[in-house]
Amino acid sequence: MPSPEERAELAAEQAYVDTVYERLDVSADTARALVTEGMARGHIGHEGGLVERDAMVYQATRRLSALNAAHEGLVFGRLDLRDGEKRYIGRIGVRDEDREVLLIDWRAPAASLFYRATAQEPSGVVRRRVLRSRGDRVVGIEDDLLDADHAPDDMVVAGEGALLASLSRARDDAMHSVVATIQKEQDEAIRAPSRGATIIAGGPGTGKTVVALHRAAYLLYTDRRRFERGGVLVVGPSAVFMNYIERVLPSLGETAVTLRAIGEVVDGIRADEHDVPEAAAVKGSARMATVLRRLSRSPVADAPREFTGFYRDARLHLAGADLKRLRRRLLQQGPHNRVYRQAPGVVLQALWSQVTAERALEKGEDAFIDAMLGDARFIDFVESWWPEVDAVELWRSLPDRLGELAGDLLSGEEIATLRATWSTGAPRIEDVPLIDELRHLVGEVPPEIDLDAGAPRQLMSFERREREAAEERLRATSSIEDDSFAHILVDEAQDLSPMQWRMLGRRGRLASWTIVGDDAQASWPLPEEASQARAEALGDKPVHRFRLSTNYRNSAEIYELGARVARRTIERPDLAEAVRRTGVDPRHERVQSGQLDGRARELLDWLLAETAGTVAVVVPHAALRRWRDALGDVSPERVRLLTGLDTKGLEFDGVLVVEPDAFVAESPAGWRTLYVVLTRATQRLATLGTTDRWLQEV
Ligand SMILES: Nc1ncnc2c1ncn2[C@@H]1O[C@H](COP(=O)(O)OP(=O)(O)OP(=O)(O)O)[C@@H](O)[C@H]1O
């Protein structure tokens, strides 16, 4: 029950917050009126009117959606300064009718004190207050008195600290913004300058993901023109993870950010299933770049090996060696599809140089070219020798071509492993970078022919016929000119394979980067190869490093077990300090295999009873289907069934890990996956297995 003083404080804060909401409503009304007015301008009818209308409606609609998104918990902070000034901090900035500041945007320099001031260094702040709200009602106040010496006698200090209150909340399916309780070291990483690459490291639960998302919102605020125009791309490990984080940015007033799971980075391709670890290790390896390069430069499947044709009294012939030479010449000028329009010209030139017969020579080169372009035999030959190639089709040809292309780079066993993964035909997450690499290697057919830039006049009729067909195909494959993001933010970066770094690097040549990750949680088995690929993706951009040191997620009891596992797998893991104790240790049980299902259900019931939020049952990859059947009917609102890799970046109030030894055995990075899984739990953790070797080893 709040004390009478606290009730009075709550009422005073509510009065202020009401004033801010009234202004917000006025702004929303203005934006709505602008949308209506903008629409009306369309009726003016001339082109300028339409352009003006579009711009106006676009801006006003965006403003309206930002205002709506920021509505929940709009005002969350207040600073009382030594000189008596009061500052209110909120999700967006709001001014009154005289343009006086009512609410400071959390990203503005004037708000940074809210996050940076400490009792050791109050920097003029006497009291920091966090307002907890439900909708537009203030329901609680949490104060930190930072400078008792300068506090007026009647200053009320309420609550038990905003951070602990927020950490104890039950978890649901969505990550929430932590804008009211960002800690000092986190704030430094959020507000780091945008240049180059900002690398944020830290153990599990240290807030790397939330920090990265708040940083995206901060960058948009500081240089909206650059980041909105160029685009901000946020990449995370899985679609489940992207759903989990998707509400954070809108709640900070930002809707202009592209969120993609690593299997969805390439436009038009969506993969959400991982390969088995052995296949993933080969597909992700930088060796694949060489294999794909060879594929992109070798003749297409079923390409004719020679050409024979006739023109008047001349017999024309291109043998295999001639075609090889022409192929080399074309590829010197650019990727396969980029030189697609040059191919007929190059072949015609080679054929014309063979013409020595008198009758054939007599009409000249133009007549020769016209005749050849009307010759179905020649057209068929060029179309099958140098067709436009589609990267996905090329990728599909890999199972047949791998032996010939990769004999010296991949072992027979590796080739067999890859072939087995491709039997289903659908790309896996690890295939997406391969397809993307191929798209860049073969390039895109230039959509327009530049007739002034030396295209042979004689080829026009050929070009015209081909152009229509090519444009039709182009519509189907989306553009690959997608390397223009202004900022790329990579979460769980420790898991990226070299091929995935190459895929992101192509999209971030001109971008600044934020990269967050924790090496101890890596599922990629060859860290050196990945860090080299990362260095290549970043080029010579300056790197700024930050480290987060406090674990806000796990109870200390749970994290202590996690840390033992981390130490078992890497020499000096980056361990964080967990700030919260529950007094409940993790439970470990070993049972006979016949009892596994029954005991799993009992432990799950225990987790559900002990916690209020979501609970995960984490099972080995190979056993997922079986457990889906076994647990089919358990509480769908609160229980999630996942494999180890699927849990990356997520958190749950309770976690049940089934057969931990199987995680360890499943891949070379098995111990690290187990570390990830154990550190997903905020309140309760149970492990259950028919063996418990892992426990003896930590
Ligand atoms: N300053 C903060 N105030 C309140 N909660 C916080 C704060 N920082 C982090 N948290 C909470 O701690 C939890 C862990 O944060 P987050 O998922 O960002 O950590 P992480 O470092 O990305 O973890 P992992 O490496 O395990 O994926 C989240 O619930 C987040 O909301």
Side-chain angles (χ1 to χ4, degrees), residues 414-443:
E414 286 174 323
I415 291 176
T417 307
L418 292 193
R419 283 210 179 109
T421 71
W422 287 321
S423 56
T424 64
R428 304 268 167 83
I429 292 171
E430 288 76 8
D431 286 308
V432 177
L434 309 188
I435 296 173
D436 190 56
E437 186 92 17
L438 284 170
R439 291 169 82 200
H440 281 76
L441 283 167
V442 297

Side-chain angles (χ1 to χ4, degrees), residues 34-61:
L34 280 173
V35 174
T36 318
E37 193 193 326
M39 291 296 197
R41 280 200 191 188
H43 299 305
I44 296 170
H46 59 86
E47 209 171 298
L50 289 176
V51 172
E52 218 174 283
R53 177 194 77 170
D54 286 352
M56 197 164 171
V57 170
Y58 173 73
Q59 291 302 344
T61 311

Side-chain angles (χ1 to χ4, degrees), residues 32 77 194 237 265 324 365-366 401 409 411 539 581 613:
R32 239 174 260 121
S194 71
V265 166
K324 203 167 168 188
E365 189 177 354
D366 285 4
R401 311 283 310 271
L409 287 173
S411 70
R581 282 203 169 266

Side-chain angles (χ1 to χ4, degrees), residues 607-616 635-640 652-653:
L607 291 169
L608 287 167
E610 289 274 307
T611 62
T614 45
V615 171
S635 164
E637 313 80 51
R638 289 188 57 201
V639 180
R640 305 284 170 267
F652 306 90
D653 279 348

Side-chain angles (χ1 to χ4, degrees), residues 162-167 169 171 174-184 186 201-214 241 244-245 491-492 494 516-518 521 548 550-554 647-651 675-676 679-680 682:
L163 180 63
L164 278 178
S166 113
L167 296 183
R169 72 177 166 81
R171 295 319 200 255
M175 176 173 256
H176 297 266
S177 103
V178 299
V179 68
T181 52
I182 291 168
Q183 301 298 294
K184 188 167 186 268
Q186 297 178 323
T206 51
K208 296 182 297 298
T209 300
V210 274
V211 164
L213 293 172
H214 287 69
F241 176 81
Y244 169 62
I245 65 169
D491 200 356
E492 304 290 345
Q494 75 279 349
V516 304
D518 173 19
Q521 299 181 53
L548 305 179
T550 305
N551 175 343
Y552 299 103
R553 175 189 298 133
N554 309 125
T647 67
K648 294 258 172 179
L650 304 178
E651 64 187 18
Y675 177 50
V676 172
T679 55
R680 298 305 98 193
T682 66

